[in-house]
Amino acid sequence: MPVRERFQLLYISRLSPATTPACVAEIVRTARQRNQARGIGSLLVFDGLRFCQYLEGDAVAVGALVERIHADPRHDDFSLLHQGPLSGPSLLKGRNFIYALCYDDSLDSVEQTRGTHALDLLAGLLKTFDQDPALPGE
Ligand SMILES: Cc1cc2nc3c(=O)[nH]c(=O)nc-3n(C[C@H](O)[C@H](O)[C@H](O)COP(=O)(O)O)c2cc1C
């Protein structure tokens, strides 16, 4: 079977006013289990109001997943910031799934940016987030 190119995608969205942050634990549990089974790597950032998620894997698998996520009523204002072949080093640095809490407004800058620049911004911010699992050595 030919090896397919790795694909990456980044979006930002808002927690739906119809739901509460209590749903986030369930989202994290589902994402952690299911993404691993599909060979998809993911970083999910939550700042209390917004989600910012980076997905990396087979293009077809990532495309199918993002369609399901997009339709999920637990969030709205879905905005695609970047999608394309994996370029440069992975944001995940060898981890399969990262859940990160952001305690300030730093996702504002990511929300206003598009393309690989949005990825670079997020990569720079990542060390300021409360990450689980933490990057070894941090
Ligand atoms: C912000 C957000 C991020 C999500 N991330 C993932 C994810 O990375 N992987 C996943 O399988 N489901 C994720 N979900 C949940 C999916 O939308 C969906 O509920 C889940 O995959 C179950 O799909 P199903 O009902 O079609 O089986 C996320 C939901 C939200 C609101």
Side-chain angles (χ1 to χ4, degrees):
M1 225 166 73
V3 177
R4 284 199 287 204
E5 203 172 22
R6 298 278 289 174
F7 188 81
Q8 56 183 187
L9 185 149
L10 181 70
Y11 73 83
I12 195 158
S13 65
R14 257 162 232 282
L15 184 72
S16 162
T19 188
T20 68
C23 74
V24 179
E26 179 57 29
I27 291 170
V28 169
R29 193 171 67 92
T30 308
R32 204 190 295 272
Q33 288 171 354
R34 294 195 175 207
N35 294 4
Q36 187 155 12
R38 295 187 176 92
I40 294 175
S42 174
L43 159 68
L44 180 65
V45 184
F46 182 60
D47 73 354
L49 290 174
R50 288 173 290 200
F51 297 103
C52 184
Q53 188 170 28
Y54 169 79
L55 297 165
E56 180 186 303
D58 174 79
V60 174
V62 170
L65 174 60
V66 87
E67 264 184 39
R68 280 211 318 280
I69 295 175
H70 192 181
D72 195 312
R74 292 173 289 186
H75 64 166
D76 47 33
D77 284 349
F78 183 100
S79 177
L80 187 64
L81 302 179
H82 175 68
Q83 62 176 335
L86 182 64
S87 67
S90 170
L91 266 179
L92 302 174
K93 298 198 174 151
R95 294 165 291 174
N96 288 327
F97 183 86
I98 309 168
Y99 175 53
L101 281 166
C102 166
Y103 300 119
D104 60 22
D105 293 336
S106 41
L107 288 181
D108 285 357
S109 57
V110 181
E111 189 166 21
Q112 287 155 19
T113 313
R114 295 290 179 277
T116 52
H117 187 45
L119 287 179
D120 294 342
L121 258 180
L122 188 62
L125 287 170
L126 195 49
K127 56 183 173 300
T128 70
F129 299 158
D130 200 348
Q131 300 174 59
D132 176 26
L135 191 60
E138 279 186 1

